[in-house]
Amino acid sequence: MHGHIMAKRPRLSPVNVVKRYRWALEHRNWTAKEWRQVIWSDESKIELLQSPSRRICWRPRGERFSPQYVAPTVKWNGGNLMIWGCFSMSGTGNLARVEGIMDSRVYQDILADNLPASITKLSGRRPWIFQQDNDPKHVSKSTVEFMAARKWTAMEWPPQSPDLNPIEHLWWLLKKRIRMNQRPADISQLWTACESEWRAISVEMCELLVASMPERVRDVIA
């Protein structure tokens, strides 16, 4: 046996395990045709100064704190912004900046301003289904009524299941692209960088992520 850093994952109660399993069973026969209909959504926090949890360098003995071998840090990573986005197998949809604290009202405003245009871009006249997690603002009574009034259909989603939402990988890619291609100096420039790099994500990448859904479902069942 060897020492390793413990893997992290959301804590699953026995009830959540059963819900995830049942959801996977219900979707185990879905093909690319069904998954193509899904518009995936989520929120993510983007930090102005992104820094990997670990950075490795090669240095001589006694040079640990020499400037060229030090990764500078800033308290609160220089600030951050919260964004909402969506995508499907057809590409990325709208990206929205969240102003202030995101409650049900703010969430509904974001959907009203961004989801219709995203549907037109990603689905056209084809049937579609909207994916969101079980965050309280997503499933509050007012949000449910808001979506019902517009006849928007939301996919039933199992609790504690970020591993089943391919947009999580898209957030990782967005942050990586910003770190590699952009040098934002403030939050305003960071938002501009987010918009630019979000639009630059290829349709092929979106197709690849959604195409992984059958394997994700099989893994949950296994």
Side-chain angles (χ1 to χ4, degrees):
M1 298 180 70
H2 304 276
H4 296 280
I5 297 173
M6 295 181 70
K8 295 181 180 180
R9 69 177 185 186
R11 183 175 183 178
L12 292 172
S13 68
V15 172
N16 289 345
V17 170
V18 171
K19 289 181 177 179
R20 281 168 54 86
Y21 180 59
R22 288 177 177 172
W23 184 90
L25 290 178
E26 291 171 0
H27 295 83
R28 61 181 168 179
N29 294 322
W30 275 35
T31 64
K33 179 181 179 180
E34 286 81 21
W35 291 118
R36 182 177 291 275
Q37 299 179 36
V38 181
I39 296 179
W40 308 89
S41 74
D42 195 18
E43 298 88 40
S44 183
K45 182 172 69 173
I46 309 291
E47 295 176 337
L48 179 60
L49 298 179
Q50 302 177 57
S51 58
S53 57
R54 290 186 173 185
R55 296 177 64 179
I56 297 174
C57 69
W58 295 89
R59 64 172 185 255
R61 289 181 178 275
E63 296 290 327
R64 181 182 181 189
F65 293 107
S66 295
Q68 65 268 37
Y69 304 122
V70 171
T73 62
V74 177
K75 193 173 184 180
W76 313 121
N77 285 341
N80 61 70
L81 59 82
M82 183 69 70
I83 59 176
W84 174 93
C86 65
F87 90 108
S88 78
M89 218 171 193
S90 300
T92 55
N94 280 19
L95 192 71
R97 181 175 176 176
V98 180
E99 301 288 355
I101 297 175
M102 192 175 192
D103 55 17
S104 294
R105 182 190 59 78
V106 172
Y107 181 62
Q108 292 161 27
D109 288 343
I110 287 176
L111 292 185
D113 293 341
N114 295 278
L115 191 53
S118 297
I119 293 169
T120 300
K121 175 184 177 182
L122 301 176
S123 294
R125 297 182 179 275
R126 296 194 309 269
W128 60 277
I129 184 170
F130 182 60
Q131 181 278 334
Q132 59 180 1
D133 61 27
N134 297 301
D135 187 285
K137 58 181 170 286
H138 297 169
V139 296
S140 67
K141 180 180 178 181
S142 64
T143 298
V144 171
E145 293 174 348
F146 168 86
M147 296 184 66
R150 289 157 177 77
K151 298 182 179 180
W152 292 347
T153 302
M155 171 184 281
E156 181 182 355
W157 193 248
Q160 297 286 23
S161 298
D163 57 317
L164 289 172
N165 190 347
I167 202 172
E168 296 291 345
H169 296 271
L170 216 56
W171 293 140
W172 175 85
L173 178 61
L174 175 64
K175 295 172 185 178
K176 179 182 178 181
R177 291 182 64 95
I178 293 172
R179 189 167 61 246
M180 293 177 59
N181 303 329
Q182 306 284 341
R183 294 292 185 271
D186 53 36
I187 296 299
S188 177
Q189 292 182 16
L190 177 60
W191 168 237
T192 300
C194 287
E195 291 183 301
S196 174
E197 296 300 337
W198 182 255
R199 289 192 298 266
I201 294 174
S202 68
V203 174
E204 290 75 19
M205 175 57 68
C206 296
E207 290 176 341
L208 183 65
L209 288 175
V210 178
S212 70
M213 286 307 299
E215 182 177 359
R216 296 172 192 241
V217 170
R218 288 194 297 269
D219 285 346
V220 170
I221 295 173

